[in-house]
Amino acid sequence: DAGITQSPRHKVTETGTPVTLRCHQTENHRYMYWYRQDPGHGLRLIHYSYGVKDTDKGEVSDGYSVSRSKTEDFLLTLESATSSQTSVYFCAISSGGHTGELFFGEGSRLTVL
Amino acid sequence: GEDVEQSLFLSVREGDSSVINCTYTDSSSTYLYWYKQEPGAGLQLLTYIFSNMDMKQDQRLTVLLNKKDKHLSLRIADTQTGDSAIYFCAVSFGGSQGNLIFGKGTKLSVKP
């Protein structure tokens, strides 16, 4: 299995509170991604990073920010969580090789009450 | 924008073949992928096909690509109960191989 760790794996929080999810990799891969998975929507890309301090928006970036200060860590922050951000969040990594294969973490389930 | 469509459910009997279909809109995708998600887990790459190929076979898996119709299919021969999972079609976009657009996933149920 690819060395990807997401934390926390489960979190319940209240509307309006800040939340940070962490993705840690031991593969030294250049690219890192945050997706959210929701019933009826599949996986949607939130933000991605193509290097330290280099990030870009995905399809559903509103309400989310990211930071990557080290190759191994990619943080996803919800500045003020809303109920619509209740979801399962997946981190993925890629070496950016020819086939673009993504390796996924096990997911972080976030519930916003 | 880019769109990837799949049917949401498929039910088959153990030992039968399963065919999961996918259509997409971006014809510039270089690679097209099938990922598998088992309950409570992340996605794992099952197989992929390069856009200049029509077919790729890998043991029980056969991928067919019709570029003209923008149609991708995954056939699983001799389907087993362990194949029960959600299968996602994905295509790359934006010129970057790692930026993938996923379909909503097809939940495959295999009945004994």
Side-chain angles (χ1 to χ4, degrees):
Chain A
D1 289 342
I4 309 169
T5 306
Q6 292 186 229
S7 59
R9 294 289 315 280
H10 301 272
K11 184 172 181 66
V12 179
T13 191
E14 294 189 347
T15 298
T17 59
V19 176
T20 295
L21 305 180
R22 178 181 183 236
C23 178
H24 178 78
Q25 61 144 330
T26 58
E27 306 297 320
N28 201 36
H29 282 352
R30 177 181 175 188
Y31 297 90
M32 298 185 76
Y33 305 82
W34 277 108
Y35 285 87
R36 60 178 288 176
Q37 184 177 23
D38 304 287
H41 290 279
L43 265 78
R44 292 179 291 175
L45 181 64
I46 305 171
H47 280 280
Y48 64 98
S49 169
Y50 44 95
V52 173
K53 293 187 173 26
D54 290 323
T55 65
D56 207 346
K57 295 178 180 179
E59 180 188 0
V60 290
S61 59
D62 287 349
Y64 301 95
S65 62
V66 290
S67 65
R68 190 161 178 208
S69 58
K70 299 185 289 185
T71 298
E72 56 266 34
D73 289 326
F74 192 33
L75 303 181
L76 176 71
T77 297
L78 292 66
E79 300 290 348
S80 178
T82 67
S83 58
S84 65
Q85 293 176 311
T86 293
S87 186
V88 181
Y89 292 86
F90 286 98
C91 174
I93 64 174
S94 170
S95 63
H98 207 45
T99 62
E101 177 178 358
L102 296 183
F103 298 93
F104 283 82
E106 295 188 339
S108 295
R109 182 175 293 275
L110 175 67
T111 302
V112 183
L113 302 175
Chain B
E2 175 64 61
D3 196 22
V4 178
E5 296 285 342
Q6 306 176 234
S7 53
L8 295 182
F9 301 99
L10 177 65
S11 180
V12 300
R13 292 223 171 265
E14 192 172 21
D16 289 348
S17 291
S18 307
V19 179
I20 302 171
N21 294 300
C22 169
T23 58
Y24 58 96
T25 56
D26 185 356
S27 59
S28 67
S29 299
T30 306
Y31 287 92
L32 301 98
Y33 310 83
W34 285 103
Y35 280 81
K36 177 182 180 182
Q37 184 182 33
E38 297 185 351
L43 281 68
Q44 287 190 305
L45 182 68
L46 201 56
T47 186
Y48 64 89
I49 188 167
F50 188 48
S51 59
N52 70 352
M53 298 170 64
D54 297 325
M55 184 181 84
K56 179 180 180 182
Q57 190 149 2
D58 184 1
Q59 298 182 338
R60 292 190 297 121
L61 306 178
T62 302
V63 179
L64 296 178
L65 175 60
N66 182 327
K67 283 196 73 174
K68 174 175 171 290
D69 294 337
K70 298 178 187 173
H71 182 267
L72 183 72
S73 68
L74 173 70
R75 178 177 180 269
I76 305 172
D78 187 24
T79 312
Q80 303 297 306
T81 54
D83 294 323
S84 293
I86 302 176
Y87 292 81
F88 290 90
C89 170
V91 302
S92 57
F93 73 97
S96 172
Q97 291 306 112
N99 289 356
L100 302 186
I101 291 286
F102 287 83
K104 292 181 173 54
T106 300
K107 184 174 183 179
L108 174 64
S109 298
V110 182
K111 300 186 187 325

